Amino acid sequence: QGLLRLARRSGQLNLAGRGLTHVPEHVWRINLDTPEEAQQNLSFGAADRWWEQTDLTKLILASNKLQSLSEDVQLLPALTMLDVHDNQLTSLPSALGQLENLQKLDVSHNKLRSLPEELLQLPRLRSLLVQHNELSQLPEGLGQLLTLEELDVSNNQLTAIPTSFALLVNLVRLNLACNQLKELPADLSAMKSLRQLDCTKNYLETVPPKLATMASLEQLYLRKNKLRSLPEFPSCRLLKELHAGENQIEILNAENLKQLSSLCVLELRDNKIKAVPEEITVLQKLERLDLANNDIKILLSDLGFVSFLKKGTQELLKYLRSKIQDDAPGPNEEPPVTAMTLPSQSKVNIHAITTLKLLEYSDKQAAEIPEAVFDAVGANPVATVNFSKNQLREIPPRLVELKDSVCDVSLGFNKISSISSELCLLQKLTHLDLRNNVLTALPEEMEALKRLHTINLAFNRFKVFPSVLYHLPALETILLSNNQVGSIDPLQLKAMDKLGTLDLQNNDLLQVPPELGNCENLRSLLLEGNPFRTPRAAVLAKGTAAVLEYLRSRIPT
């Protein structure tokens, strides 16, 4: 009765997570029945004037055990929002079609096999969420919902999309991920307001050329399909993110890339791409380029490319632009006479030291770095050091000799078990790659690395989030996947106002603190592969902004 009394005043009733197997009848009749307090108490304070009650506008019945909804839902005509997600519903009442004020309907995470035709009569519906059900088809007339702005039908068993979708000209977000779609109707191009289209994890082999005319499109997700080439997007001048990883793309068409002038993120990992066209350098706004796990051979043979990959997209593009003008030695030319041959028959590339400021001794399986490698530096300033893919068990002591100039150090794929004080003296360090070692902790002395903004600690043996990271104010990227981290401190993370990327995939997080949602500077938060129960995989799949919003909604008030 207390909840109902509050609901009459506020117009909102939240019965989520109460183990309900059915909705009590007086919930449906809350607008009709005379309140109990009116019959028992004839002296009212200002707060108890039941005759001034508000009609129910929001009803939340999420995370219960409901198997059906009563047709009595029609007794709540003022409802603007109905949330029944995470129940056991197998069908919806036709009476839903009479809720003419309904703007948001969330029936996700149920067992629905169909949607009632009456649903198409809702004249003000703006958000329809039906993801994670058992739908094999959608009503043919779904396009009648002309006011719809958000439609999520992901994680169902859909094999086709109704052609009437073309009528949804106000739709802004459409999620078709994780279905069984083999093709997209070309008529989708009529959705002139669409900004986000997610077709992840279907069976698409091509994308209709007409989709290239979707002038408002900003984010396009095509991951985990069967695409053999990147679609053309001549009219998509606003496209900012294109995710096409885990396909079968072999060739990047230079002309296609030129048209994507607003692109910030281009994700093409896990394809079969053999070469990167130089035209990629015209993408002046590109911030993130992911080409991991492809068949690229042309650029990877160049010493400079690997180092610039670690520095980030802008540095890589700058480097590629310079390569266009460079008169690089041909493949059959002899190496420069200044190359110094070591006893191990490995060469120190003096040209790389003097021109690229790069000191490289990688992929040699060496237990230590030969003295001659450091001797070759002389008085030359070195900005980038790459000692990855060796058998190093400690930080090379002579690294400290480069402290006045080095800003990028790669020691990944070694056997380093602890960080020595020498590393902490490299106070100009901005990028540090320590992935694939056997580290369990970081020393507090690393707090001296005030300029460090990227650290890669993936595939180590951390059981605790390294506390010194909380005290590095310039950090923008923390990569800590594939460790055994069990908890994080959201309050300390919130204080790191530069932090934009936090990768904690495949750790031992049993729970995600809701306060993490307050870290609104995070642009990329990766949490998949942990044992926590919430947020669910469906929330994680929506991306960082949705995860942070979900976490904020769970902060106790």
Side-chain angles (χ1 to χ4, degrees):
Q1 289 301 323
L3 282 172
L4 292 176
R5 193 178 303 126
L6 285 172
R8 288 190 184 97
R9 289 207 296 270
S10 68
Q12 302 179 20
L13 179 58
N14 188 344
L15 295 174
R18 293 177 175 267
L20 299 176
T21 55
H22 70 284
V23 180
E25 188 178 352
H26 48 268
V27 170
W28 302 127
R29 299 184 59 84
I30 187 171
N31 295 342
L32 303 176
D33 293 346
T34 305
E36 206 170 280
E37 60 266 29
Q39 299 166 359
Q40 296 173 354
N41 183 2
L42 298 177
S43 59
F44 304 109
D48 287 324
R49 291 175 181 159
W50 55 266
W51 57 86
E52 293 180 0
Q53 72 178 33
T54 302
D55 279 353
L56 202 63
T57 58
K58 292 185 179 180
L59 177 58
I60 301 174
L61 298 166
S63 301
N64 282 293
K65 298 176 181 177
L66 303 176
Q67 295 183 359
S68 63
L69 286 181
S70 167
E71 296 285 344
D72 286 344
V73 69
Q74 63 189 299
L75 301 177
L76 301 173
L79 277 186
T80 61
M81 191 266 270
L82 176 60
D83 182 353
V84 289
H85 84 267
D86 191 20
N87 277 284
Q88 298 166 23
L89 300 176
T90 56
S91 63
L92 295 174
S94 57
L96 279 177
Q98 299 182 37
L99 301 180
E100 59 180 30
N101 290 299
L102 199 63
Q103 296 178 25
K104 178 174 182 178
L105 176 61
D106 187 348
V107 293
S108 62
H109 290 274
N110 278 286
K111 298 178 179 180
L112 300 175
R113 296 192 172 180
S114 63
L115 297 177
E117 292 288 332
E118 289 79 6
L119 210 60
L120 311 180
Q121 301 167 10
L122 298 172
R124 295 181 175 84
L125 195 64
R126 292 165 53 189
S127 175
L128 177 58
L129 308 178
V130 295
Q131 68 270 27
H132 285 275
N133 277 285
E134 299 172 12
L135 300 173
S136 57
Q137 61 182 28
L138 295 172
E140 193 56 46
L142 201 64
Q144 296 172 38
L145 295 171
L146 299 178
T147 55
L148 212 56
E149 297 174 7
E150 177 183 31
L151 175 60
D152 191 338
V153 294
S154 63
N155 291 277
N156 278 285
Q157 297 156 24
L158 302 175
T159 56
I161 298 300
T163 53
S164 68
F165 263 41
L167 302 173
L168 299 176
V169 293
N170 291 306
L171 204 64
V172 175
R173 290 181 297 278
L174 174 58
N175 193 341
L176 303 170
C178 302
N179 278 289
Q180 299 167 23
L181 302 174
K182 293 183 178 178
E183 59 182 9
L184 295 175
D187 295 339
L188 287 186
S189 59
M191 295 180 177
K192 299 303 182 187
S193 303
L194 199 66
R195 295 207 296 264
Q196 184 184 80
L197 175 59
D198 191 343
C199 301
T200 300
K201 205 173 182 183
N202 279 283
Y203 300 110
L204 302 176
E205 295 183 7
T206 59
V207 174
K210 280 184 73 175
L211 257 59
T213 63
M214 300 177 78
S216 298
L217 199 62
E218 295 179 5
Q219 295 175 303
L220 178 59
Y221 295 84
L222 295 167
R223 300 184 76 246
K224 297 187 177 182
N225 279 284
K226 295 185 175 183
L227 300 177
R228 294 188 176 276
S229 61
L230 205 57
E232 294 184 35
F233 298 104
S235 302
C236 298
R237 303 291 181 189
L238 299 179
L239 193 65
K240 294 175 182 170
E241 296 188 24
L242 176 54
H243 301 260
E246 295 189 59
N247 278 284
Q248 298 165 27
I249 298 170
E250 295 183 7
I251 297 174
L252 290 184
N253 186 313
E255 289 302 312
N256 293 2
L257 292 173
K258 280 183 178 179
Q259 296 153 356
L260 301 175
S261 55
S262 298
L263 207 62
C264 301
V265 176
L266 179 56
E267 189 265 301
L268 294 166
R269 64 179 299 127
D270 296 288
N271 275 288
K272 298 177 180 179
I273 298 167
K274 294 180 173 61
V276 181
E278 290 175 345
E279 283 79 2
I280 204 167
T281 60
V282 304
L283 302 179
Q284 298 282 344
K285 295 185 178 179
L286 200 62
E287 295 176 4
R288 179 177 158 223
L289 172 63
D290 191 345
L291 295 166
N293 298 329
N294 275 282
D295 298 335
I296 299 169
K297 295 181 176 66
I298 293 175
L299 284 173
L300 290 182
S301 62
D302 190 315
L303 283 175
F305 185 75
V306 180
S307 71
F308 281 96
L309 269 181
K310 295 197 296 289
K311 287 187 179 179
T313 302
Q314 288 303 318
E315 290 294 320
L316 169 60
L317 293 176
K318 198 184 300 179
Y319 168 70
L320 287 172
R321 286 182 200 115
S322 73
K323 292 292 289 179
I324 294 173
Q325 289 111 27
D326 264 5
D327 293 318
N332 298 321
E333 292 182 35
E334 289 295 314
V337 292
T338 49
M340 186 178 87
T341 304
L342 300 173
S344 64
Q345 296 303 305
S346 299
K347 293 173 181 174
V348 176
N349 191 329
I350 301 295
H351 176 74
I353 293 174
T354 56
T355 307
L356 294 173
K357 299 182 181 178
L358 166 69
L359 178 61
E360 199 204 34
Y361 194 80
S362 67
D363 210 1
K364 302 286 192 288
Q365 301 306 309
E368 57 185 33
I369 304 301
E371 299 294 322
V373 172
F374 288 102
D375 294 342
V377 173
N380 293 297
V382 168
T384 301
V385 172
N386 183 6
F387 292 159
S388 63
K389 296 185 180 177
N390 283 296
Q391 300 286 323
L392 304 180
R393 295 183 179 276
E394 62 178 8
I395 306 293
R398 289 187 65 181
L399 204 54
V400 72
E401 296 173 15
L402 311 175
K403 64 182 176 64
D404 292 333
S405 58
V406 72
C407 55
D408 185 341
V409 171
S410 178
L411 291 161
F413 298 91
N414 279 289
K415 296 182 177 179
I416 299 169
S417 58
S418 63
I419 303 299
S420 60
S421 57
E422 284 87 2
L423 191 71
C424 305
L425 297 173
L426 307 179
Q427 295 191 10
K428 292 191 174 180
L429 206 59
T430 58
H431 291 73
L432 179 57
D433 188 344
L434 291 163
R435 78 184 94 168
N436 291 77
N437 278 285
V438 288
L439 295 168
T440 57
L442 297 179
E444 292 301 318
E445 289 83 356
M446 280 183 67
E447 196 171 340
L449 304 178
K450 297 297 185 187
R451 298 188 186 182
L452 190 66
H453 65 69
T454 299
I455 187 165
N456 191 341
L457 299 167
F459 290 95
N460 274 281
R461 297 181 182 175
F462 291 96
K463 293 189 175 179
V464 179
F465 189 95
S467 59
V468 68
L469 298 183
Y470 294 129
H471 307 299
L472 295 172
L475 268 182
E476 297 175 11
T477 300
I478 298 175
L479 307 177
L480 199 55
S481 67
N482 295 279
N483 280 278
Q484 299 158 40
V485 174
S487 64
I488 48 176
D489 186 334
L491 297 180
Q492 296 209 65
L493 285 171
K494 187 177 188 301
M496 302 173 72
D497 53 10
K498 298 265 179 66
L499 190 64
T501 298
L502 178 60
D503 185 351
L504 291 166
Q505 294 177 100
N506 301 315
N507 274 281
D508 291 342
L509 295 174
L510 289 172
Q511 60 179 11
V512 181
E515 293 77 12
L516 189 62
N518 290 327
C519 298
E520 296 185 23
N521 292 319
L522 282 176
R523 296 187 305 278
S524 179
L525 173 63
L526 303 171
L527 297 169
E528 288 85 356
N530 280 281
F532 57 74
R533 295 184 64 185
T534 56
R536 293 172 180 260
V539 176
L540 298 181
K542 287 185 177 180
T544 299
V547 172
L548 295 178
E549 183 181 350
Y550 170 84
L551 291 171
R552 284 194 295 275
S553 74
R554 296 178 69 86
I555 296 175
T557 54

